[in-house]
Structure formats: structure tokens, C-alpha cells
Amino acid sequence: MRFIPIGSEFAAVVEGNDLCAPLDSAEVAAIHAGMDRHAVLVFHDQPLTDEQQIAFTRSLGKIELNTANNVTRLDQRRLSIEMSDISNLDQHSNMLARDDRRRAFNLGNRLWHSDSSFKAVSAKYSLLSARIIPSASQCRVTPERNLSRIASRAAWRVGDLLFAQ
């Protein structure tokens, strides 16, 4: 497993691993060490199923269960409680209507935030998985709008690489 730094401030691309397969203890230790060193790790071209994503997450520690929020009932969930769904899809994988409260609630997730950082025992990591990634020309994310909160001094250097395909 190789960690290739993105810029000089934080973040690294990880190569030489297959997250679709179970990780051994050395790989888990390497990922923990990589997170300690770089804070953000990018794993390109990992076509994980939801089950594989959950298994990968479990290998890094206990999963915080997402049992409910103030908008989506358990019977409206599209994904299991081990995953947070910030998509624009309903439980049948149809697009939510423009006036659906769940869609409005999820729009807040477009802003950069750190999941569970407000809790008494905060999450160690947030593991994000993108299934459809827009091209850079389609992406309206700009460092000054959304990345500035993580490290403004580094956002300009790593922004293009974080959103590259």
C-alpha cells in the first residue's frame, strides 16, 4: 500500500489495495497510520457494494448506527442503518420530489461538515463513497465555497485533485 501526498499540507491518494476484499491487520494498521499522517485519504477506483463499504468501515472500528433523523423514518430508508444516506433518492431509488422534506434536509449536506463532531464521543472517521462523480466542469464546488473550512491554506492546492476522476 502506497500513500501519495496531495500537495504539502494534508491528504493522500492510496494505491495498491483492494477495499472490496477483507483487509488484514497490517492493512488496517497502515490505513490508521495513513489517517494519522494525512487526515484525508482518497481511494480511487474502488467499486464497493454497500456491504463491502460496511465491511471496510467495520475493519477500522465500531460503526455509529444511523437509526433515525428528524426527517426520514426508518421505513423510508434506502440503505441499512450502518450507512447515512445523503443522496437525493427515496427508498425505491427514485429521485425525491423538489418539495420533499427529505431532499431539503439533505441539501444541508452539500456544505462541508464533519459528521458527529458535535457529539460527546465523536466519530473517528467519516467514510464517504461516491457512486456517480460529475466531471470537473459539472462540479460547482470551489475551494473558496466549500473547502476553505478544512484548511484554506491547502484548499487551492488539493481541490482539483480531490475532485478529479
Side-chain angles (χ1 to χ4, degrees):
M1 189 177 313
R2 265 178 4 133
F3 297 87
I4 303 161
I6 299 172
S8 61
E9 303 299 332
F10 71 99
V13 172
V14 183
E15 292 183 345
N17 63 332
D18 179 7
L19 300 182
C20 296
L23 301 177
D24 62 35
S25 59
E27 291 170 312
V28 170
I31 291 171
H32 284 300
M35 284 298 294
D36 290 346
R37 166 69 179 92
H38 301 286
V40 174
L41 298 180
V42 179
F43 299 87
H44 286 292
D45 303 316
Q46 300 282 339
L48 298 170
T49 64
D50 292 343
E51 293 76 21
Q52 290 166 325
Q53 171 91 20
I54 292 168
F56 169 59
T57 304
R58 273 196 185 113
S59 72
L60 300 175
K62 185 178 178 185
I63 296 177
E64 177 185 341
L65 299 180
N66 185 3
T67 55
N69 65 40
N70 59 353
V71 176
T72 305
R73 298 185 321 260
L74 285 175
D75 66 325
Q76 294 177 315
R77 290 189 56 86
R78 188 174 63 88
L79 303 174
S80 71
I81 61 172
E82 290 90 0
M83 301 182 87
S84 293
D85 187 359
I86 58 171
S87 73
N88 59 353
L89 302 176
D90 69 14
Q91 68 269 36
H92 307 293
S93 295
N94 297 315
M95 287 272 262
L96 293 169
R98 201 163 189 61
D99 60 349
D100 191 297
R101 288 186 61 208
R102 294 169 292 174
R103 181 180 178 276
F105 181 82
N106 283 338
L107 286 175
N109 286 305
R110 293 189 317 178
L111 302 174
W112 187 269
H113 66 281
S114 179
D115 293 330
S116 301
S117 61
F118 58 90
K119 295 185 177 182
V121 178
S122 62
K124 184 171 184 177
Y125 305 128
S126 290
L127 285 79
L128 308 176
S129 176
R131 304 302 166 91
I132 299 173
I133 303 171
S135 68
S137 64
Q138 295 171 311
C139 188
R140 294 186 313 208
V141 173
T142 60
E144 72 275 6
R145 279 186 52 202
N146 293 329
L147 292 179
S148 61
R149 292 184 186 155
I150 54 175
S152 59
R153 68 182 188 276
W156 287 104
R157 288 183 226 139
V158 301
D160 289 340
L161 292 171
L162 287 174
F163 296 103
Q165 287 192 16

